[in-house]
Amino acid sequence: MESGELDAVIGNWPQPPDYLRLSPLFKDEVVCMMRKQHPLASQPMTLDDYLNADHIAPIPYAVGQRGVIDLHLARLRIKRRVISHVPYFNLVPYLLLQTDAVFSAPRMFAEHYQGLLPLSVVQSPIDFPEISFYLLWHDRSHLDPECRWFREQLIGVIRESSQAAQPLPRRMPQLAAASIA
């Protein structure tokens, strides 16, 4: 964005860079997605199920940074078994169709792909904090009329579609103090 190659980015990093401007878009809950025939797809997932499952995770957005999921797990002093890191979220649903892996994802993303592919979306056994999504842009394009119009269009469409989404019913978290020691 600083060089002008990009005008805006939609992000969900735990700590967005201070040198970029930011507009909050929406928050979403974390769910687990997997192929419909996955052994965990037809039953409530327990903490042990989650921790013992194979996971696919996104490549960290910057060296030394953790994503929302792994940051929260580290705070709980627990770790999942990540078998593959992928550079793009939209690759994950297709990888899930070929494996018994699990992907912890925002609900709207998971339900979108569940409508397109034979995937299941199940409630996470860990009470993750909601993921915040925001639009980021650099100061160099802040006052540009075309960039401002583009940002306003993105913000309007995203906020409208996120308000139309219906949340999954929340369950009580199954995370017990004895389980995380």
Side-chain angles (χ1 to χ4, degrees):
M1 286 186 286
E2 190 171 352
S3 70
E5 289 183 48
L6 298 173
D7 292 321
V9 170
I10 296 171
N12 66 350
W13 306 308
Q15 295 281 294
D18 290 336
Y19 62 89
L20 296 176
R21 292 188 177 253
L22 176 146
S23 179
L25 296 172
F26 65 95
K27 293 182 179 193
D28 202 1
E29 71 176 307
V30 174
V31 296
C32 297
M33 60 189 294
M34 63 199 73
R35 66 185 182 94
K36 275 195 185 276
Q37 297 80 20
H38 191 289
L40 299 174
S42 61
Q43 61 194 31
M45 187 184 298
T46 67
L47 177 61
D48 285 340
D49 291 337
Y50 184 87
L51 296 177
N52 292 318
D54 291 337
H55 290 262
I56 297 174
I59 290 175
Y61 65 93
V63 176
Q65 297 295 319
R66 291 182 178 171
V68 174
I69 303 300
D70 289 316
L71 187 62
H72 184 71
L73 293 175
R75 287 181 183 140
L76 296 174
R77 297 183 182 169
I78 57 178
K79 189 173 181 180
R80 62 187 174 159
R81 184 173 54 223
V82 176
I83 60 164
S84 179
H85 287 89
V86 295
Y88 307 106
F89 263 60
N90 62 343
L91 294 176
V92 174
Y94 302 98
L95 293 173
L96 292 175
L97 296 175
Q98 307 299 318
T99 68
D100 272 340
V102 172
F103 185 59
S104 301
R107 178 183 50 81
M108 288 187 348
F109 173 86
E111 288 181 350
H112 169 75
Y113 279 99
Q114 182 185 32
L116 300 173
L117 301 168
L119 296 169
S120 290
V121 176
V122 300
Q123 196 70 37
S124 171
I126 298 172
D127 191 19
F128 287 103
E130 288 184 315
I131 297 176
S132 296
F133 288 84
Y134 36 81
L135 185 65
L136 297 158
W137 65 95
H138 195 271
D139 250 353
R140 67 150 196 83
S141 65
H142 181 63
L143 298 176
D144 181 273
E146 290 88 3
C147 291
R148 185 175 179 159
W149 175 86
F150 178 65
R151 289 192 305 268
E152 289 170 357
Q153 299 306 305
L154 279 175
I155 291 168
V157 168
I158 291 170
R159 286 185 181 162
E160 182 179 313
S161 63
S162 68
Q163 290 171 353
Q166 297 297 316
L168 290 172
R170 279 237 183 235
R171 292 183 317 145
M172 292 300 293
Q174 297 178 11
L175 186 59
S179 302
I180 62 172

